[in-house]
Amino acid sequence: MNVREMQSIAVSSVESPRLEFKEDVQIPVPWGHLSAKVWGPDDGVPVLAVHGLMDNAGSFDTLAPLLPPHVRLVCLELCGHGYSSAYPPGVILHYFDNAYHVKLVVDHFKWDQVILIGHSIGAITLFLFASIFPEHVSKMISLDLVKPVSVSVSKLPVIMRGIITEILGFSEVGSPSTVTYQEARQSLVDNYKGSVDDKAADVLLIRGLKRKANAEDAYEFVISDMRILVRTLTLSEEQIKVLIANIRCPLLIIRASNGLKNFTEKVLGEYLDIYRSSSQDFRIVDVEGTHHVHLTHPERVAPHILQFLLPLPLASKL
């Protein structure tokens, strides 16, 4: 598909009926609740979207209106992010826990099958889920993530020691600092190293900040539990390859030109070969933009997603 055809799809998606925000929901879990923003009708085709590290359900606010109006898009907030409950004190949050949380959500909504959309660590979570529960996944879209991160087996003792050391350092949740809105926005833009601009930061801060009582311009960041920063996935390259080889559903990977580049071309080729071999329909496309291109320029991402998703199955079959 050429650029002109892609632009035509993008324009038609804007002119067509738009997917509309419906409600915020809380999904009960043993340690509290997981929050989600829900778009679209109750009887729509189930789509579960999971954001990246330190983000929230707002990560999909600009992309959602460009998706088909007859899907039910559930934008989940991972444990400790957005309005979702954090883990109890003293507990290590493992990446596999996030996959377990996705299973809790799938069971809560009684979905036999679901379409998955994941960004960054959200995509890692969904790669794990799709490999462990392939029967529940009808299609998967990964936004700027080709594969889950891996570790060197020879460095495993050092890495695991580092994980425990970091967790101990984050064991005490301090009082969040007070910031002005402009300070919060600039902090987000700086910490994301150019991946988001002021406009995108404003979107994320809707669910990322809370105003202090009786204050005109004084806020606190919603995230105060830094355990979510600890990278707890300790799988080797070989283990990850075994896992992703079990992903059977159609798979679309959308890479950003200025996004994640954390592997060699040789490693990339090895994983693309696995996907082509295991997936019913594997596609990979490149778009111009940063790691958060789906948020900053959703019109570049949406046409590829629409082409991949359409025609949608009947919701009753999922």
Side-chain angles (χ1 to χ4, degrees):
M1 180 173 288
N2 59 38
V3 174
R4 186 182 297 274
E5 290 171 324
M6 282 294 181
Q7 290 173 338
S8 175
I9 290 178
V11 170
S12 64
S13 68
V14 172
E15 294 175 348
S16 301
R18 295 163 68 90
L19 186 66
E20 295 184 353
F21 172 70
K22 185 174 187 292
E23 61 185 345
D24 272 280
V25 298
Q26 290 187 347
I27 300 147
V29 291
W31 64 95
H33 67 268
L34 293 172
S35 293
K37 290 187 69 172
V38 179
W39 300 68
D42 290 343
D43 60 352
V45 175
V47 180
L48 181 66
V50 183
H51 61 81
L53 183 65
M54 299 295 285
D55 290 346
N56 53 58
S59 178
F60 301 100
D61 276 7
T62 58
L63 177 62
L66 303 181
L67 299 182
H70 45 292
V71 303
R72 188 187 190 199
L73 176 66
V74 177
C75 300
L76 179 68
E77 289 180 324
L78 294 173
C79 178
H81 291 75
Y83 299 155
S84 288
S85 301
Y87 254 12
V91 177
I92 296 178
L93 176 63
H94 196 281
Y95 281 24
F96 272 112
D97 291 3
N98 289 329
Y100 156 57
H101 301 165
V102 168
K103 183 62 164 66
L104 292 177
V105 172
V106 169
D107 290 350
H108 172 80
F109 288 111
K110 296 180 172 58
W111 292 331
D112 291 327
Q113 284 198 311
V114 61
I115 297 169
L116 303 177
I117 302 177
H119 172 239
S120 196
I121 284 180
I124 292 178
T125 297
L126 298 181
F127 269 120
L128 295 175
F129 178 83
S131 67
I132 300 167
F133 299 103
E135 71 277 11
H136 286 310
V137 185
S138 57
K139 291 185 177 183
M140 178 175 165
I141 299 165
S142 176
L143 301 175
D144 203 37
L145 189 115
V146 172
K147 72 176 191 69
V149 293
S150 61
V151 301
S152 170
V153 175
S154 63
K155 297 179 181 178
L156 198 54
V158 174
I159 292 170
M160 297 185 75
R161 179 188 177 105
I163 290 171
I164 293 175
T165 302
E166 282 191 274
I167 290 294
L168 289 172
F170 292 142
S171 61
E172 294 185 7
V173 179
S175 300
S177 57
T178 300
V179 294
T180 66
Y181 187 85
Q182 180 57 37
E183 288 171 340
R185 175 202 278 164
Q186 193 59 50
S187 174
L188 202 63
V189 172
D190 291 344
N191 288 337
Y192 282 51
K193 303 184 186 306
S195 186
V196 300
D197 53 20
D198 285 355
K199 186 177 178 181
D202 287 337
V203 175
L204 292 174
L205 288 175
I206 293 172
R207 298 173 75 89
L209 276 184
K210 56 183 177 183
R211 188 194 297 268
K212 297 196 71 172
N214 304 318
E216 183 175 343
D217 190 21
Y219 298 84
E220 294 175 351
F221 284 103
V222 170
I223 294 177
S224 59
D225 186 353
M226 294 296 102
R227 287 175 297 175
I228 63 175
L229 292 175
V230 182
R231 299 181 180 275
T232 54
L233 192 61
T234 54
L235 295 176
S236 68
E237 207 76 72
E238 182 180 0
Q239 289 172 314
I240 289 175
K241 287 178 179 178
V242 170
L243 280 170
I244 62 142
N246 202 44
I247 296 175
R248 307 299 183 192
C249 67
L251 171 65
L252 168 65
I253 296 175
I254 300 177
R255 296 196 305 173
S257 59
N258 296 313
L260 293 180
K261 301 286 192 300
N262 56 353
F263 45 78
T264 65
E265 287 298 313
K266 178 178 180 296
V267 171
L268 172 63
E270 291 173 355
Y271 277 86
L272 297 189
D273 286 345
I274 294 173
Y275 294 137
R276 292 187 182 106
S277 197
S278 62
S279 171
Q280 300 171 18
D281 175 13
F282 172 65
R283 310 178 196 182
I284 183 168
V285 297
D286 295 323
V287 297
E288 185 70 27
T290 67
H291 184 51
H292 283 79
V293 65
H294 69 287
L295 172 61
T296 59
H297 296 88
E299 73 283 355
R300 300 176 186 173
V301 173
H304 297 289
I305 293 178
L306 292 175
Q307 185 193 30
F308 180 66
L309 292 184
L310 298 176
L312 284 166
L314 296 175
S316 61
K317 292 184 179 180
L318 296 181

